[in-house]
Amino acid sequence: MNEREAVQALAALAQPVRLRAFRALVQAGAEGLTPGALAEALHVTPSALSFHLKELLHAGLVTQQRQGRHLIYRAAFTTMQALLAYLTENCCRGQACAVAADELSCPT
C-alpha cells in the first residue's frame, strides 16, 4: 500500500455511517451482507447506504459480488491488513513491538 491508497482508505472510513458499515461487514465475515440487510442493521436509508458503499468500494475496503438478483458486500480484509501494516510499518524504531493489554508497546 502506498501513501495515496492509505489516505483514500482512511478518508473513506472517516465518516460515521461508512465506519459502521465497514465494521458490520467485518463482523459478517466471508458471508457478507446484502445492502438491504446492512441498511436495516445500520438504520439508514438504502439510497444513503448506496452512496457510502460506493465510497468504500472505491477505496478498496469492500468487495461486491452478484449472487442471482442480490449484491453481496464483504469487507476486503487484505486491503485492511495492508492499511494496518502501512500504518505500523516503522513502529518502535524498527524493533519488534509487543502487544500488551490491548496497547501497542515499544521496547525502551
Side-chain angles (χ1 to χ4, degrees):
M1 176 165 286
N2 61 42
E3 184 178 81
R4 182 190 57 75
E5 293 166 332
V7 168
Q8 186 176 20
L10 291 169
L13 292 171
Q15 199 285 336
V17 173
R18 289 194 289 268
L19 182 59
R20 288 186 1 236
F22 183 76
R23 292 185 68 193
L25 291 171
V26 166
Q27 291 171 358
E31 199 172 303
L33 292 169
T34 63
L38 193 53
E40 186 176 317
L42 299 177
H43 307 290
V44 297
T45 64
S47 60
L49 181 63
S50 177
F51 168 77
H52 293 300
L53 287 173
K54 184 181 114 195
E55 290 296 314
L56 291 170
L57 192 61
H58 183 68
L61 292 167
V62 300
T63 63
Q64 176 191 72
Q65 179 184 18
R66 182 166 293 284
Q67 287 185 349
R69 297 180 356 187
H70 301 283
L71 291 175
I72 305 296
Y73 284 87
R74 293 180 182 86
F77 291 102
T78 303
T79 302
M80 193 65 211
Q81 289 170 345
L83 176 61
L84 293 172
Y86 176 84
L87 293 172
T88 59
E89 184 175 10
N90 293 310
C91 73
C92 304
R93 293 182 219 137
Q95 299 177 17
C97 296
V99 176
D102 295 329
E103 292 183 22
L104 186 63
S105 61
C106 298
T108 54

